[in-house]
Amino acid sequence: RPQAIARPIRERVAGLRRGLSLWPIDAVVTQCAELEAEHGPHPLIANYGAELLLWAGDYERARTWLDRAFSMAPRSRWAFIGKATVENLTGSPEQALATIALQRALVPPLPNSASCTAEAYLLLGDAERALVDFATASAAHPTRVSAWLGLGQAQHLLGASPRPALDRVRQLVPVFFQQWQQETAGLGEQERFAHAFRMLRGNRGSGLITWWTADGAFHGEQAVLSAR
């Protein structure tokens, strides 16, 4: 049965993500499973494992881990975020909207709930509603890189300049921005945005931003607001 997680275990779970600087992402996911085997199942571990699998682009395995989180904690707020993210990434934006609507009916939403709905609206071709929710998400967490990218994409679709949003992405994650620009030289603006999201795979975070380059290499960078 699910076990209560003491603070030292919570810190160990959080520390696994920091291990991405030392080990391949699959090895860190394996360590999540080993931690669960050692201390018993817990939705916190399942959610962390699911998030790592989203970053790896392994959406079906992420869905499995999220199902386990829900089986232990049906009102797990982040599990709703993870589920909606999987649904957006696998071509079901309507279901993603329904998932966040259910979250809001059951528990207080998280700031990144708006990011999930914004991405769904963008996929459905509703750039105006996407713009509103991406603006909400980026204001709530100013280091959420995917929200700034989505905001810029929505602005471009609506005929406005995405430059301020792109400047924020460059400020937050300069290495990602440079590699993105290199890989999309010569492409149109919409394809450039689409490529950025392909690089991110399932990373929708506001701290450690991870991405994959065209050569299959995995990268990470901490999103940091400049003091300027």
Side-chain angles (χ1 to χ4, degrees), residues 18 20 22 34 38 50-51 80 85 95 98 100 104 108 122 124 134 136 150 164 179-180 199 209 216 220:
R18 295 192 292 272
L20 288 172
L22 302 172
E34 290 172 352
E38 179 183 353
E51 186 174 27
F80 285 102
T85 301
Q95 188 56 49
I100 297 302
R104 288 171 170 161
L122 199 61
L124 292 167
F134 276 130
T136 298
Q179 291 182 345
W180 171 39
M199 291 174 73
I209 308 304

Side-chain angles (χ1 to χ4, degrees), residues 114-200:
S115 189
C116 293
T117 55
E119 195 163 340
Y121 288 134
L122 199 61
L123 291 167
L124 292 167
D126 191 341
E128 290 186 0
R129 295 182 78 176
L131 180 72
V132 171
D133 281 4
F134 276 130
T136 298
S138 58
H141 273 160
T143 56
R144 193 172 305 284
V145 170
S146 61
W148 289 105
L149 285 167
L151 181 64
Q153 186 172 8
Q155 289 168 331
H156 175 73
L157 286 168
L158 294 170
S161 172
R163 182 51 50 192
L166 297 184
D167 286 344
R168 178 57 63 91
V169 175
R170 181 194 291 111
Q171 177 194 57
L172 291 173
V173 280
V175 176
F176 167 80
F177 188 88
Q178 180 183 40
Q179 291 182 345
W180 171 39
Q181 296 302 298
Q182 290 172 346
E183 290 200 0
T184 57
L187 296 180
E189 200 70 19
Q190 281 302 107
E191 179 54 30
R192 287 161 67 86
F193 281 115
H195 188 84
F197 280 105
R198 285 195 295 271
M199 291 174 73
L200 291 175

Side-chain angles (χ1 to χ4, degrees), residues 43-44 47 69-70 73-81 103 107:
L44 178 66
N47 281 328
F70 276 121
R75 296 183 176 223
S76 170
R77 291 198 298 168
W78 195 90
F80 285 102
I81 298 295
Q103 180 203 45
V107 292

